[in-house]
Amino acid sequence: LIWGKHRMSSKECGRGVFVRRMAWVLGVCLAVAVFLTGCELIRIEEGERTPVEYAIVKQEELPDEAVEFIEQRKKKEFQMTYLVGDVLYLLKGYGEQMTGGYSIQVEEVSESENGVFCKTRLIGPSEGNQGGEPSYPCIVLKIKKTGKPVQFTG
């Protein structure tokens, strides 16, 4: 076989086909892996925000699936939404903290034309309120379904 001005043996040509096929297979596998991750990065254009009415939900009021999710992921920071009918739950966990006594402050729950914004802040324990065991601060807010993507901060 002739490749450009260089004459290739059938062995070299076979190797080239193999390399191209492997590159194609790896490319397809990579594309499938990217599409199957289930996570999306969405940039929400902010625009003018208006406050959203919300309620803080106690763990015993949560659907079982949400409680299970929190329990499985409580050691690491997480944020997610969970939809049940017309109710959207906003879950934010701050992962394992070395002591107890932490609280979470809701600084903002608002929406714009393009999205919902949830901003919280982890507040450390006072010196007299530090427990000896690790804690897993988490907050769950309940809002009406909007159909818009949610952006968490804090």
Side-chain angles (χ1 to χ4, degrees):
L1 296 173
I2 298 175
W3 185 261
K5 293 185 178 182
H6 179 257
R7 187 168 175 82
M8 295 177 66
S9 70
S10 60
K11 188 176 182 180
E12 288 174 317
C13 183
R15 207 175 301 146
V17 170
F18 175 76
V19 169
R20 281 195 306 272
R21 283 187 183 160
M22 286 305 296
W24 184 83
V25 168
L26 289 174
V28 168
C29 290
L30 180 62
V32 169
V34 167
F35 288 115
L36 293 179
T37 60
C39 295
E40 297 180 50
L41 293 177
I42 301 174
R43 177 159 169 75
I44 302 172
E45 295 298 325
E46 294 190 23
E48 188 176 328
R49 295 184 186 184
T50 57
V52 171
E53 193 173 313
Y54 68 91
I56 297 175
V57 182
K58 295 178 182 175
Q59 186 166 346
E60 54 269 10
E61 298 170 1
L62 285 172
D64 292 339
E65 294 86 5
V67 173
E68 199 173 301
F69 176 87
I70 292 169
E71 192 60 35
Q72 290 173 353
R73 290 168 177 80
K74 71 181 182 181
K75 289 187 177 186
K76 298 201 184 252
E77 190 171 333
F78 68 87
Q79 52 199 26
M80 79 167 271
T81 60
Y82 186 79
L83 182 64
V84 178
D86 287 341
V87 176
L88 182 64
Y89 295 94
L90 311 177
L91 292 78
K92 172 70 176 171
Y94 283 89
E96 183 175 24
Q97 304 299 317
M98 298 314 290
T99 65
Y102 284 84
S103 61
I104 300 172
Q105 178 181 356
V106 178
E107 294 188 340
E108 176 187 10
V109 180
S110 62
E111 70 179 318
S112 72
E113 180 178 303
N114 302 315
V116 175
F117 302 88
C118 179
K119 183 176 183 180
T120 58
R121 183 167 60 107
L122 182 64
I123 299 172
S126 61
E127 286 190 35
N129 196 18
Q130 293 180 355
E133 294 187 24
S135 63
Y136 308 92
C138 174
I139 191 166
V140 180
L141 307 176
K142 177 168 76 171
I143 65 172
K144 290 181 182 173
K145 175 184 168 183
T146 65
K148 300 174 185 176
V150 177
Q151 179 176 320
F152 292 87
T153 55

